[in-house]
Amino acid sequence: MYRAFESLDELVEIVETARGLPMSGSCVVSRSHALDLLDDIREAYPEELVDANDVLTQRDEILGEAKSVAESELSHARDDATSTIASAQDEADRTMEGARKEAERIVRAARAEAERTVGAANAEAEAIVTSARERYDEHVAAAEDEHHRLVAETTVHQSAIVRAEQIHADATADAERIRAEAHHDADGMRHEVEDYVDSRLAAFEDMLRSTLRTIGGGRDQLHGRGGGATRSAGQR
């Protein structure tokens, strides 16, 4: 390598000391001597410089191939991510559709159960009221019969009237009490039905929220995998 430096120095000295041509910046240099010095410099170059020159020559080709491979891998990664996201979206849509149908089924069943329960409560209340009315009518009829009998056959006319009025008042009070109890029982049954329907809907609401959280977690993981694939492709 030192021989190359010496030959370069000598070549510079030849050029600097060469005889110049008049009216020109050119000079006269010994061709054979200059070529010998250039051969010495070429032979003094290490083999690594020749290999490095070959690598530099092929640099554009290598970079082009690397860029093509990177773009191909990036395209595949994007296609895979798009396909995965589309599949996840389809699965989410199917899950939401199934949840919607299940919600509609539960609501229909709850409404039917509520209607049956309310119908049974109304029927029972109506039966109680009807029974109370019949008992009221019976008491009133009995009181009137007793009133007429006492008026007709005894000399204690006034006391019979008082007794008949008392029986009539007692019958009326019993009928009102029975009617109030029937309405109270019917209201209690309606409240129980409403609480039952509300608890069923609340349970279904919790199930829907849990399903949505599961879907959201799956989508977050999906986006995380898609982003990782894209970054890996870019690094390659």
Side-chain angles (χ1 to χ4, degrees), residues 127-137 174-176 178-179:
I128 293 173
V129 171
T130 301
S131 176
R133 287 174 179 172
E134 291 176 352
R135 290 175 61 185
Y136 170 78
D137 293 339
D174 288 341
E176 291 297 331
I178 293 172
R179 184 183 293 108

Side-chain angles (χ1 to χ4, degrees), residues 82-129:
T82 300
S83 177
T84 303
I85 291 173
S87 299
Q89 186 64 45
D90 292 339
E91 183 66 23
D93 292 340
R94 287 193 296 271
T95 302
M96 289 301 297
E97 180 65 18
R100 184 185 64 79
K101 292 181 178 179
E102 180 65 14
E104 292 177 352
R105 185 189 66 78
I106 291 176
V107 169
R108 287 195 301 269
R111 286 177 177 172
E113 182 67 20
E115 290 175 356
R116 285 193 298 270
T117 304
V118 171
N122 289 334
E124 185 173 352
E126 189 65 28
I128 293 173
V129 171

Side-chain angles (χ1 to χ4, degrees), residues 168-187:
H168 184 273
D170 292 341
T172 302
D174 288 341
E176 291 297 331
R177 178 179 57 80
I178 293 172
R179 184 183 293 108
E181 290 177 354
H183 284 295
H184 180 271
D185 293 340
D187 290 338

